[in-house]
Amino acid sequence: MKMLPLQAAIAAALLSVAIGVSAKPLVVCTEASPEGFDPVLYTTAVTADAAAETMFNRLVDFKPGTTEVVPALAKALPEISADGLTYTFHLRDDVKFHTTDYFKPTRNMNADDVLWSFQRQLDPNHPWHNKSVVGYPYFESMGFKELLKSVTKTDDHTVVFTLTRPEAPFLADLAMAFSSIHSAEYADQLLKSGKTDDLNAKPIGTGPFIFTRYAKDAQVRFKANPDYFRGKPPADPLILAITTDNNVRLQKLKANECQIALYPKPDDVPSMKADPNLKVAELAAMTTAYTALNTTHKYMSDARVRHAINIAFDKKGYNESLYGKGNAIDATGPYPPTLLGFSDKLKNPPRDLDKARALLKEAGVPEGTEFTLFTRNGGGPTNPNPMLGAQRMQADLAQIGLKVNIRVMEWGEMLKRAKNGEHDMVSAGWAGDNGDPDNFLTPNLSCDAAKNGENYARWCNKEFQDLIDKARAIEEPSKRAALYEQAMDVFGKDQPWIPMAYPKMFTAMRKNVEGFTQSPLTTNNFATTQVK
């Protein structure tokens, strides 16, 4: 029987009481556009947030707010052989892939999906291996090609990883974005139809949110996954509003155009805390801001030049300008002091312009030599004010006769050009993915990473490489720490980076936002976040 308008309204009200308050949209103002939606292909936190944390899962995850590894698509943590070479995972049987207008799964997630996700990166003969034009940056730079002897299944819900050597951070590595599990069934559909690009453009995963639309450089829209194995998220839809300027992010937050604003400027934090409608979460995250010096370029290949730049640069003044007092620690090495093997022996040298000029003269660098510095166009967690930071570097190096040409670029474009080695210097940053020091060193400073361009310094040092390789293969923390301290000494002598800061991470939100947990790994997951 057709209801009258009043009857319909009463019925709707009664229904809402019966089923609870309906989900509300959650709009998050983010700092940059994702590079794509296949988390295997990219290394940036922006893309991880828009893909790995929203639409995908891995065999294991990090417990929210920690670096503790917990089961995800696996029922439990793996059985590990006594020699540390075999990891056996037993998979959940209740995990469904997303249903969309472009894909309807016919089965639940199983071992074939896990095999597809790893063999695609590992096996050169895999039908999808050469479909990536950017390669597999994490998989390659972390040496997984050499590490994985095989990935096999013993039945539909049991997967066995066999390693060529013991690897202390292996389990934590499997919780990282590049280990996300794709649908082999969807991949087969795309391969047969010749639409392989859709794996990156129209993603299918098992995660808390289902992709609905991407308006380039504007927003990414998702709907809550009703079949999510951990329960449907309370926010529906989820919208990532791409807002490169952190001043604009703050304005939108105050106007309630977004309910969460990522990475506000540290000097805005006091006023936000005073606003009765807002609150600010803060965390000493596992992050390093740095400037990579391209060691393959003329003059930059000479360690004396790199040392001259380091001692001419006013690091303390830079950090106070960008982060404010107390919001960052002056960096001395590649990773922050909360991680294993941090070396107290590494110290920032005193600023010495005379010595810097003498080193440049000794290295044969002419007065007025020009270097190009790449920086991003919008503020992020490790660089809240890129233009100000670049101008400070420019002014400091002008005092020793070097000219710095600043090139401001969109985040993804800057990374692409840096990977190609077009820069002399690039302002960059790294957020730890798994709580292990190897995650800062191997992806950013290894010889493999120098080959594929992820190592923006293009620095390959055999002594350093041997030390981090040995450390990866040892379980005993004290022995690993001793090797990392030695590696840090090599890093300090060769100076491929200027380590800038270990900054705090801030997240601003409306007072009525609940269920959001900051991660020390700087990823942002909104599966339990809601607007009350």
Side-chain angles (χ1 to χ4, degrees):
M1 185 175 75
K2 186 177 180 182
M3 291 187 184
L4 297 173
L6 181 59
Q7 290 174 306
I10 293 170
L14 290 173
L15 181 62
S16 71
V17 170
I19 64 174
V21 179
S22 60
K24 287 186 178 181
L26 173 64
V27 183
V28 181
C29 283
T30 66
E31 83 277 23
S33 301
E35 300 149 286
F37 297 100
D38 180 355
V40 167
L41 304 183
Y42 309 104
T43 62
T44 66
V46 170
T47 301
D49 284 356
E53 295 297 321
T54 48
M55 297 179 288
F56 289 88
N57 294 104
R58 290 142 292 283
L59 295 173
V60 290
D61 272 341
F62 296 108
K63 184 179 178 181
T66 77
T67 57
E68 179 188 344
V69 178
V70 295
L73 298 180
K75 289 181 185 176
L77 295 181
E79 299 154 11
I80 306 174
S81 62
D83 61 6
L85 296 179
T86 304
Y87 289 66
T88 302
F89 288 91
H90 300 283
L91 308 179
R92 298 178 64 117
D93 58 10
D94 61 344
V95 178
K96 300 178 185 297
F97 280 101
H98 299 158
T99 295
T100 67
D101 58 358
Y102 50 87
F103 178 66
K104 307 285 189 293
T106 64
R107 59 167 177 80
N108 285 0
M109 184 274 304
N110 66 26
D112 290 335
D113 303 304
V114 178
L115 263 59
W116 186 94
S117 300
F118 284 92
Q119 294 292 358
R120 167 201 181 194
Q121 302 181 73
L122 177 64
D123 181 4
N125 297 316
H126 190 277
W128 276 83
H129 183 77
N130 293 320
K131 300 298 180 187
S132 169
V133 295
V134 296
Y136 301 98
Y138 256 133
F139 195 88
E140 293 163 1
S141 63
M142 292 176 70
F144 261 54
K145 280 185 175 181
E146 295 74 36
L147 174 65
L148 288 182
K149 184 177 181 181
S150 65
V151 185
T152 57
K153 70 173 187 176
T154 55
D155 59 49
D156 280 349
H157 293 95
T158 308
V159 177
V160 179
F161 290 79
T162 304
L163 311 187
T164 59
R165 62 176 188 264
E167 182 88 348
F170 180 66
L171 190 58
D173 290 344
L174 292 184
M176 290 168 54
F178 80 97
S179 297
S180 295
I181 304 304
H182 283 268
S183 165
E185 187 181 18
Y186 180 49
D188 288 345
Q189 173 185 306
L190 295 179
L191 195 63
K192 287 173 185 173
S193 63
K195 296 180 178 179
T196 54
D197 287 348
D198 281 0
L199 195 75
N200 191 27
K202 295 181 176 181
I204 291 290
T206 58
F209 295 97
I210 299 171
F211 178 81
T212 57
R213 185 164 62 89
Y214 173 44
K216 185 171 170 52
D217 298 331
Q219 64 174 225
V220 193
R221 297 182 71 94
F222 309 89
K223 64 181 179 181
N225 179 5
D227 299 319
Y228 187 45
F229 68 94
R230 288 174 171 146
K232 182 181 177 181
D236 194 13
L238 169 67
I239 301 166
L240 304 183
I242 298 157
T243 316
T244 56
D245 189 309
N246 36 24
N247 293 316
V248 178
R249 290 201 293 276
L250 179 55
Q251 290 166 13
K252 287 186 173 184
L253 181 70
K254 288 182 173 180
N256 201 24
E257 292 176 30
C258 57
Q259 290 74 52
I260 296 178
L262 300 181
Y263 316 125
K265 288 190 299 186
D267 53 7
D268 285 332
V269 168
S271 66
M272 288 188 291
K273 286 181 175 178
D275 190 319
N277 297 311
L278 306 181
K279 57 184 177 180
V280 182
E282 62 181 76
L283 186 69
M286 294 178 184
T287 53
T288 301
Y290 68 93
T291 298
L293 309 177
N294 190 335
T295 61
T296 64
H297 277 196
K298 187 177 181 181
Y299 300 128
M300 281 292 186
S301 61
D302 192 319
R304 292 171 295 184
V305 176
R306 302 194 295 270
H307 279 281
I309 290 171
N310 192 29
I311 61 176
F313 177 60
D314 179 9
K315 188 177 295 185
K316 186 168 286 296
Y318 172 95
N319 287 338
E320 287 189 3
S321 295
L322 263 69
Y323 304 101
K325 286 188 177 181
N327 291 327
I329 300 170
D330 294 349
T332 56
Y335 59 79
T338 50
L339 294 182
L340 181 74
F342 178 83
S343 177
D344 290 324
K345 295 175 186 173
L346 280 182
K347 304 289 184 186
N348 283 312
R351 193 166 186 236
D352 191 333
L353 299 178
D354 290 336
K355 186 177 178 182
R357 291 188 197 97
L359 283 169
L360 292 177
K361 186 174 181 180
E362 189 181 310
V365 181
E367 178 89 13
T369 294
E370 298 186 14
F371 290 122
T372 301
L373 171 63
F374 287 4
T375 196
R376 62 191 292 175
N377 64 339
T382 57
N383 194 346
N385 196 332
M387 195 61 195
L388 174 62
Q391 288 169 341
R392 287 195 68 101
M393 176 70 79
Q394 185 182 55
D396 285 350
L397 297 196
Q399 293 182 59
I400 57 169
L402 299 179
K403 182 178 179 183
V404 174
N405 295 319
I406 300 170
R407 297 283 305 280
V408 180
M409 300 175 200
E410 185 273 327
W411 176 237
E413 179 69 14
M414 186 191 84
L415 295 182
K416 186 172 91 173
R417 288 175 176 250
K419 189 173 178 177
N420 289 338
E422 298 174 25
H423 62 291
D424 294 309
M425 301 185 285
V426 60
S427 178
W430 189 257
D433 296 287
N434 62 12
D436 194 280
D438 180 73
N439 177 249
F440 279 80
L441 305 181
T442 294
N444 294 308
L445 290 161
S446 68
C447 293
D448 279 342
K451 288 175 192 170
N452 71 15
E454 292 295 325
N455 176 344
Y456 302 142
R458 303 201 157 216
W459 180 67
C460 175
N461 181 292
K462 186 179 185 308
E463 185 182 1
F464 180 87
Q465 186 70 55
D466 288 346
L467 287 164
I468 65 172
D469 285 347
K470 286 177 185 173
R472 269 207 314 272
I474 296 172
E475 287 286 349
E476 173 56 47
S478 62
K479 291 180 180 177
R480 292 188 77 204
L483 290 166
Y484 286 131
E485 286 185 24
Q486 291 176 54
M488 294 307 95
D489 186 52
V490 176
F491 171 91
K493 288 175 181 173
D494 228 19
Q495 207 76 55
W497 290 0
I498 302 174
M500 313 290 264
Y502 307 127
K504 281 185 181 178
M505 183 176 72
F506 298 97
T507 306
M509 59 196 91
R510 304 285 298 180
K511 272 276 175 66
N512 59 343
V513 171
E514 296 182 0
F516 174 74
T517 302
Q518 277 189 309
S519 168
L521 306 171
T522 72
T523 49
N524 294 288
N525 186 300
F526 305 106
T528 60
T529 307
Q530 61 182 317
V531 180
K532 282 288 190 179

